[in-house]
Amino acid sequence: MQHPVSGENELTPRGPVDASVVPRFAGIATFPRLDEVERAEVAVAGIPFDSGVSYRPGARFGPSHVREASRLLRPYNPAQDVSPFAAQQVADAGDIVANPFDISAAVAEIEAGARALRANADRLVIIGGDHTIALPLLREVASVHGPVAVLHFDAHLDTWDTYFGAPTTHGTPFRRASEEGLIDMTASMHVGIRGPLYDKSDLEDDERLGFAVITSEYLETHGVASAIERMHARIGDKALYISIDIDVLDPAHAPGTGTPEAGGMTSRELLRMLRALAGFRIVGADVVEVAPAYDHAQLTAVAASHVVYELLSAMAPRPTGIRTPEGDRA
């Protein structure tokens, strides 16, 4: 995601600089800015907001941390056989500003900011920030596409009702989204759920709100291929919004997060599942809860930047049928 190279043809997407020409440690850690291109198929934006966290703060610094780690990325993705920055115009839209002292005001600002960005971009990939931001992002997406299938990678359900009486926090966005009719209740799913709950009724509430669940234990017992089959069957051909809390990964792979849980996915497992979404109708995505203060040697940021890269690759158009690790999709 480094700074741009100029193309001779304006119709040719502008992509990252060649790291064999300009050292990765030089320059600004971003690809072309949205104001440097006429329009983008995908805009990547940060939302440095973490006032909705219930434990460790710091995800407000996540967007810049992930951008910095993105210097390691290269333009061709062999796992998906696509060059995501050449197949589509991807641009960095900077950060959406959100009030750090007033969650209600911040939610309104995030929704308005996302809507404004979509005037110059077809789809958004957002780097958070805490998971509170998923609610206003889903409001904006649903205003265009109607109720969407939500594929939610996380250690936690995030369908609780309130925290300390507050209805909008990083633990409640998908309950509010379901209640507001933003999600397709026949096609939505959590992946990677694990760890203790407050009560067994948490699972009953979650099912009532429209989510199927692939737990971390299921992945261990049945494997990623079986989980991908369930994921494909659940989503079908619905418009798909992907929301990824980096704590879906085990703390060994992503220590820099606010509410870590033991027994999570490996980064390899998560990336494989994202690659299996190439060819689906992805209308937006977010990657949240990267908290740099708890990171070590950029482990979490490197994982998150590769997650964004695989999302961009899965969203890239293919001129013919594409092949995922699990088989062919037209």
Side-chain angles (χ1 to χ4, degrees):
M1 299 180 192
Q2 295 191 49
H3 44 193
V5 288
S6 298
E8 295 180 3
N9 186 340
E10 283 300 320
L11 297 178
T12 301
R14 300 175 67 183
V17 70
D18 186 344
S20 67
V21 176
V22 178
R24 289 189 178 90
F25 47 80
I28 299 171
T30 189
F31 42 76
R33 299 192 312 268
L34 187 57
D35 62 3
E36 295 178 314
V37 298
E38 290 187 8
R39 183 174 179 81
E41 277 81 22
V42 185
V44 178
I47 301 181
F49 172 85
D50 66 0
S51 300
V53 299
S54 59
Y55 189 45
R56 303 193 305 199
R60 66 182 61 184
F61 301 108
S64 59
H65 193 51
V66 176
R67 284 186 175 105
E68 187 63 28
S70 73
R71 293 175 183 271
L72 290 165
L73 300 173
R74 298 178 179 88
Y76 173 65
N77 184 341
Q80 294 200 44
D81 188 23
V82 69
S83 297
F85 305 112
Q88 61 196 342
Q89 180 62 68
V90 181
D92 189 332
D95 291 340
I96 295 174
V97 177
N99 188 325
F101 301 113
D102 186 326
I103 293 178
S104 296
V107 166
E109 289 166 350
I110 292 167
E111 183 180 355
R115 183 169 293 110
L117 285 182
R118 286 194 69 259
N120 293 303
D122 298 328
R123 293 176 287 183
L124 305 180
V125 174
I126 300 296
I127 306 170
D130 76 54
H131 225 151
T132 307
I133 70 173
L135 177 59
L137 295 174
L138 281 169
R139 285 174 177 168
E140 196 284 323
V141 166
S143 72
V144 177
H145 299 280
V148 294
V150 172
L151 182 60
H152 171 219
F153 292 86
D154 203 325
H156 312 98
L157 297 169
D158 289 359
T159 50
W160 286 286
D161 191 12
T162 63
Y163 273 85
F164 306 100
T168 307
T169 73
H170 76 156
T172 68
F174 300 110
R175 189 185 194 98
R176 301 286 91 84
S178 178
E179 291 170 347
E180 293 180 21
L182 308 178
I183 74 168
D184 187 323
M185 296 176 67
T186 69
S188 296
M189 171 176 277
H190 308 294
V191 180
I193 302 300
R194 64 189 187 276
L197 299 171
Y198 293 106
D199 190 85
K200 187 175 181 178
S201 62
D202 293 342
L203 294 171
E204 296 165 355
D205 282 351
D206 188 75
E207 183 178 6
R208 177 179 56 80
L209 291 164
F211 287 92
V213 179
I214 295 176
T215 64
S216 185
E217 291 80 10
Y218 182 95
L219 283 163
E220 179 184 5
T221 303
H222 300 283
V224 175
S226 176
I228 287 172
E229 288 180 5
R230 284 187 58 191
M231 182 176 72
H232 284 180
R234 179 74 174 173
I235 298 167
D237 61 354
K238 304 296 180 63
L240 173 63
Y241 185 90
I242 303 170
S243 186
I244 302 170
D245 187 327
I246 206 65
D247 74 21
V248 73
L249 298 179
D250 190 88
H253 296 264
T257 192
T259 47
E261 298 280 357
M265 297 173 68
T266 67
S267 55
R268 181 173 59 231
E269 290 170 335
L270 176 58
L271 296 180
R272 182 181 173 191
M273 294 194 76
L274 295 178
R275 289 165 186 154
L277 295 168
F280 282 77
R281 191 153 60 98
I282 303 170
V283 297
D286 64 63
V287 181
V288 300
E289 301 282 355
V290 174
Y294 307 102
D295 205 3
H296 174 71
Q298 289 189 314
L299 286 175
T300 312
V302 168
S305 66
H306 278 77
V307 164
V308 173
Y309 182 68
E310 295 297 340
L311 287 169
L312 294 173
S313 297
M315 296 165 82
R318 270 72 165 183
T320 58
I322 57 96
R323 184 173 181 82
T324 72
E326 304 352 289
D328 291 316
R329 284 186 62 86

